[in-house]
Amino acid sequence: MLTTTDSVSLTGPLDPAALLRAAAPLTVTVDDSARSRLDRGRRLFHDLRHGDGGEAPAIYGATTGFGALVGYAGRTDEADQCDNTLAHLGAGQGPDLPQDICRAALLLRTWSLAQGFSGVSVEVVDRLAAMFATTFGPAVPRYGSVGASGDLIPLAYATQALRGRGHAYVDGRRMPAAAALTAAGLRPLALDGRDALALVNGTSVTTAALALAHDAVRAAHRSLMALTCLLADLLGCDPGFLDADLLRAYGHAGAIDVGARMRRTLTGTIPSGTRPLQEPYSVRCSPQLLGAAEDALRYVGGVVAADVAGVSDNPLFFHDDAERGTPGKGTEGKGKVVHGGNFFGQPAAFAADLLASVMAQLGNLAERQLDLLMDPARNGGLPPMLATVPGAQHGLQGVQLATTAFVAEIRRAATPAGMQSLPTNLHNQDVVPFGTQAALRSYDMAELLGLLCGSLALGLRQTVHVGARRPTAPECAELLDALIDLIPPVDPDRPLDADVRAAARLLATRDLPRPDVPGQARAGVRPPGT
């Protein structure tokens, strides 16, 4: 039996940082308060379902078909209705989603269900919670969700795996789901129609992918603040471009906070006096660029926090009390079932598209700064391509070619997804947000952005080897020394792919400078190149 030191409670707000920790075994606690909410919600569902004390209202997915077939009766047997929910959603295609997304999505689903508005049983939440103490994770195909009626198809695969159907992973090994449950010491999950629909009718995959992508971009943003300072120090730039009065006059909170952090990083720097009066934009405008990214990342972080704290399902069940509103038709004095659209992932879609734009410009910045380092016309006379013997050696020429490809790929992928609605499901879903596509795309882009940061870090390490001065700011010197300890100089030429990945991992896991704003602490990262 695995023991875990990390724990998450299903009562109170769910910390977005818990989604990063869900990739490893985790203790999820179903306390008495959660059990009380679940029991109360389950009783209300059964009372409404069976018309206790009055006419029974129609309940989507419990008494009806699904989607565009809502006007037809569902199956009368509740176990059959579970199969009816899940079987037709087994239409996904493509490679399996990363396990950190799958387990984070199930943690979100578990927390949402535990709030008691979905009418599921305590048993369902208990069994989901037990899964997190193991390394079990469902095998979920990447393609199939439009992020509208929740992430129906991917969550159906996750639910089927918990029932022992399809495939799953244990200790990183893919196997039939029934064997994976046995290996993890878990029992197959038994569900009725309401349980099954509640498990699939939320945007948990979208939110999980967005949260993990946001965290990785946060790490890259911190890296670029530190690397920009190191670049400025190595070249002997005047730090006046970070002047506090200058940035206050600019008027943007992100730029003010980023500038303050970068000034602290450059404390002690001594300008060389040989640089141009005005540096290229990749240095001079870095606080404005990184500051705008900071403002955008704060917005995305707010969307993630709201999605993590919200209940994503349809329908929802509310008791008739002061906090829950007035009774619904035919349910006087008891409560109500409300059919709506809390499974619609538009906020995450917009946020993921914004995150993609941020990554495109951060990637541009990293690539342009590397180009500056490699150009003898602008790097203070260092050799071209940072080669020790230009011609006989080629330094970082291959790395620069790769970074150009990374930037091109990021730009191609940055096309907004959240406005490309396509009607489906007999026009029941006549507008869809494509939040799943936007979030998964941002998750993939974040890895490339991390590799761009690693490429720039490698260039800065090589710059000192070919003649740049040592940093004069202590924080910059500390970062350079960490890079030097990790990566030998490029002399003579050698393949540098592993070095770029190593530098990216160092930056992603190192405690780098961050703007001083509340709520930016992180529990972990998904290092690039892993």
Side-chain angles (χ1 to χ4, degrees):
M1 179 69 179
L2 286 168
T3 58
T4 62
T5 58
D6 202 359
S7 64
V8 170
S9 171
L10 298 180
T11 296
L14 179 63
D15 183 355
L19 302 183
L20 281 80
R21 306 197 303 272
L26 187 69
T27 298
V28 176
T29 303
V30 189
D31 61 14
D32 290 342
S33 177
R35 293 179 186 281
S36 176
R37 290 194 307 270
L38 285 160
D39 281 337
R40 192 170 184 233
R42 187 66 166 180
R43 286 196 303 272
L44 176 58
F45 162 67
H46 275 298
D47 288 347
L48 293 170
R49 169 74 171 82
H50 299 291
D52 186 16
E55 180 185 354
I59 299 176
Y60 173 69
T63 61
T64 72
F66 303 101
L69 302 182
V70 65
Y72 296 85
R75 300 181 185 178
T76 56
D77 181 86
E78 291 189 346
D80 283 349
Q81 185 71 340
C82 168
D83 290 336
N84 194 24
T85 307
L86 300 173
H88 78 284
L89 295 174
Q93 301 290 347
D96 291 343
L97 288 175
Q99 282 296 293
D100 58 347
I101 293 179
C102 293
R103 284 179 57 99
L106 284 175
L107 180 59
L108 282 165
R109 208 78 221 104
T110 304
W111 186 90
S112 180
L113 298 179
Q115 303 319 297
F117 298 120
S118 292
V120 303
S121 66
V122 174
E123 173 73 7
V124 169
V125 174
D126 274 338
R127 301 284 291 283
L128 287 169
M131 183 214 77
F132 286 101
T134 76
T135 62
F136 180 94
V140 177
R142 180 184 179 107
Y143 302 114
S145 176
V146 296
S149 293
D151 294 309
L152 291 170
I153 286 177
L155 287 174
Y157 277 86
T159 302
Q160 292 284 51
L162 290 163
R163 299 175 75 206
R165 307 182 185 192
H167 290 82
Y169 292 85
V170 172
D171 295 333
R173 294 186 298 113
R174 195 179 196 271
M175 63 185 75
L181 288 171
T182 300
L186 301 171
R187 290 181 292 119
L189 189 60
L191 305 170
D192 64 18
R194 171 83 288 262
D195 295 331
L197 183 60
L199 276 163
V200 304
N201 231 9
T203 56
S204 302
V205 172
T206 298
T207 300
L210 176 62
L212 297 176
H214 174 255
D215 188 81
V217 179
R218 267 278 172 215
H221 183 259
R222 283 194 298 277
S223 298
L224 283 169
M225 281 194 292
L227 294 172
T228 300
C229 290
L230 178 55
L231 180 149
D233 198 351
L234 291 174
L235 295 183
C237 302
D238 191 307
F241 65 96
L242 296 168
D243 182 83
D245 291 330
L246 176 78
L247 296 177
R248 275 195 298 270
Y250 190 56
H252 290 273
I256 292 169
D257 295 337
V258 163
R261 178 60 262 184
M262 292 175 70
R263 284 195 303 276
R264 288 195 292 275
T265 302
L266 279 168
T267 297
T269 190
I270 302 170
S272 66
T274 61
R275 296 294 298 172
L277 176 63
Q278 297 193 136
E279 293 289 346
Y281 282 15
S282 59
V283 174
R284 187 177 11 140
C285 299
S286 59
Q288 288 82 6
L289 189 160
L290 292 166
E294 173 65 28
D295 288 331
L297 287 170
R298 290 175 186 176
Y299 168 76
V300 175
V303 172
V304 169
D307 271 3
V308 168
V311 175
S312 177
D313 196 2
N314 177 58
L316 295 180
F317 300 86
F318 298 95
H319 284 274
D320 178 22
D321 56 37
E323 294 181 338
R324 303 304 177 212
T326 58
K329 181 179 179 182
T331 60
E332 296 293 326
K334 290 186 175 297
K336 62 182 178 179
V337 55
V338 182
H339 297 84
N342 279 16
F343 49 43
F344 198 80
Q346 194 69 67
F350 286 154
D353 283 341
L354 176 58
L355 192 62
S357 294
V358 169
M359 282 188 274
Q361 189 66 330
L362 293 180
N364 288 339
L365 179 65
E367 189 276 335
R368 288 293 84 200
Q369 289 181 345
L370 180 62
D371 182 77
L372 171 62
L373 286 175
M374 298 174 70
D375 184 356
R378 295 177 294 145
N379 67 10
L382 298 174
M385 299 297 175
L386 303 179
T388 306
V389 184
Q393 296 186 27
H394 295 82
L396 269 68
Q397 183 165 271
V399 169
Q400 187 186 35
L401 289 172
T403 61
T404 303
F406 299 161
V407 168
E409 183 65 18
I410 287 175
R411 288 181 180 178
R412 183 197 62 78
T415 302
M419 42 69 72
Q420 297 189 38
S421 178
L422 288 171
T424 187
N425 200 232
L426 299 183
H427 290 268
N428 169 50
Q429 297 180 22
D430 55 349
V431 290
V432 297
F434 286 122
T436 321
Q437 284 84 348
L440 292 175
R441 176 270 323 270
S442 291
Y443 177 95
D444 293 340
M445 292 170 67
E447 181 170 6
L448 289 175
L449 179 60
L451 294 173
L452 281 161
C453 292
S455 300
L456 175 59
L458 178 60
L460 290 164
R461 187 265 175 269
Q462 181 71 0
T463 298
V464 174
H465 178 67
V466 296
R469 70 178 192 174
R470 283 276 308 171
T472 55
E475 278 197 33
C476 292
E478 182 182 350
L479 175 56
L480 178 67
D481 288 341
L483 292 168
I484 288 173
D485 289 344
L486 180 69
I487 302 169
V490 184
D491 187 7
D493 289 344
R494 67 172 188 276
L496 297 174
D497 49 357
D499 294 293
V500 168
R501 293 193 297 272
R505 286 192 294 271
L506 172 69
L507 294 170
T509 55
R510 185 176 168 83
D511 186 18
L512 291 166
R514 66 187 71 197
D516 294 329
V517 293
Q520 297 298 332
R522 295 161 55 255
V525 294
R526 175 176 58 92
T530 60

